[in-house]
Amino acid sequence: VWVDNTARTIVIYDTLDTPSAQFDSIQVGYALDGEFAILKYEGNVLEQDTRLDLTTAQEFKVYSQDSASAEGIQTYSVHAVAAPKLALSFPALIPDPAAEAEPTNFSININVLGGTDVSSINTLASTSSSVGVTVTEIKVDGVTFVGGAVDYSEPVAFQLTVNDANEGVTYTVTYTVTVTVVP
């Protein structure tokens, strides 16, 4: 899930190759700033772990502590989309241990052979997405990435900036990549 408080947009996404048109519902939990703020969905207070119908466009209304004024009520649009899939390649390692690594819950786990220097692995990244969905930028731990050496001594965050022309939204998808040296 990605939330943009400035644009008041919530994007719910999946990478399991399920077309977004098949997202019929989702169960949500949430947190709000403000002790007395409430969230309404279809005119009712949204309870924790509520199942939401995503077959049509939806809106949440957030009522702040002082909802008597217009500024106290914020409306968020909710979009269900298929997120782009991230694929990695380590071309200097033969065989390439990243070639067959598939994301699971926005995590990619890659095993490399003992003796591999994980502090500087030459990495190439590619994405695949549905028609109308474009990855406009990839960042590694917050720095723009076009390919090159990556330090995998700790898990690495690959952030994809995504423009979805079908829904008219731009959002960020983060994959966590962990490289483990095996004996």
Side-chain angles (χ1 to χ4, degrees):
V1 174
W2 180 82
V3 178
D4 179 346
N5 285 314
T6 303
R8 295 185 183 90
T9 303
I10 299 170
V11 179
I12 300 167
Y13 50 76
D14 180 31
T15 62
L16 302 176
D17 296 326
T18 303
S20 59
Q22 292 183 16
F23 294 166
D24 61 354
S25 65
I26 188 169
Q27 192 160 334
V28 298
Y30 64 92
L32 298 171
D33 286 344
E35 183 176 340
F36 300 105
I38 61 169
L39 183 64
K40 287 189 176 182
Y41 172 71
E42 295 181 339
N44 300 312
V45 173
L46 185 67
E47 301 295 331
Q48 288 293 338
D49 298 320
T50 298
R51 184 163 297 281
L52 302 178
D53 176 7
L54 296 177
T55 57
T56 60
Q58 300 297 328
E59 288 185 342
F60 292 130
K61 289 192 182 283
V62 179
Y63 293 79
S64 66
Q65 294 173 1
D66 174 20
S67 61
S69 65
E71 297 84 30
I73 303 170
Q74 305 299 329
T75 302
Y76 283 73
S77 60
V78 181
H79 304 269
V81 301
K85 190 174 188 179
L86 175 66
L88 299 176
S89 173
F90 298 163
L93 301 180
I94 300 174
D96 183 349
E100 302 299 319
E102 290 287 326
T104 303
N105 297 325
F106 300 97
S107 294
I108 301 175
N109 296 310
I110 302 169
N111 292 325
V112 296
L113 295 175
T116 303
D117 178 7
V118 296
S119 68
S120 181
I121 297 178
N122 185 31
T123 305
L124 299 176
S126 62
T127 59
S128 56
S129 54
S130 56
V131 174
V133 177
T134 307
V135 175
T136 59
E137 182 178 44
I138 298 175
K139 291 184 177 182
V140 172
D141 289 336
V143 177
T144 300
F145 180 76
V146 292
V150 175
D151 182 354
Y152 293 100
S153 299
E154 295 182 2
V156 175
F158 279 77
Q159 298 117 348
L160 284 56
T161 302
V162 181
N163 182 317
D164 188 328
N166 304 318
E167 293 287 326
V169 294
T170 298
Y171 57 96
T172 301
V173 175
T174 301
Y175 285 88
T176 302
V177 179
T178 303
V179 175
T180 304
V181 177
V182 294

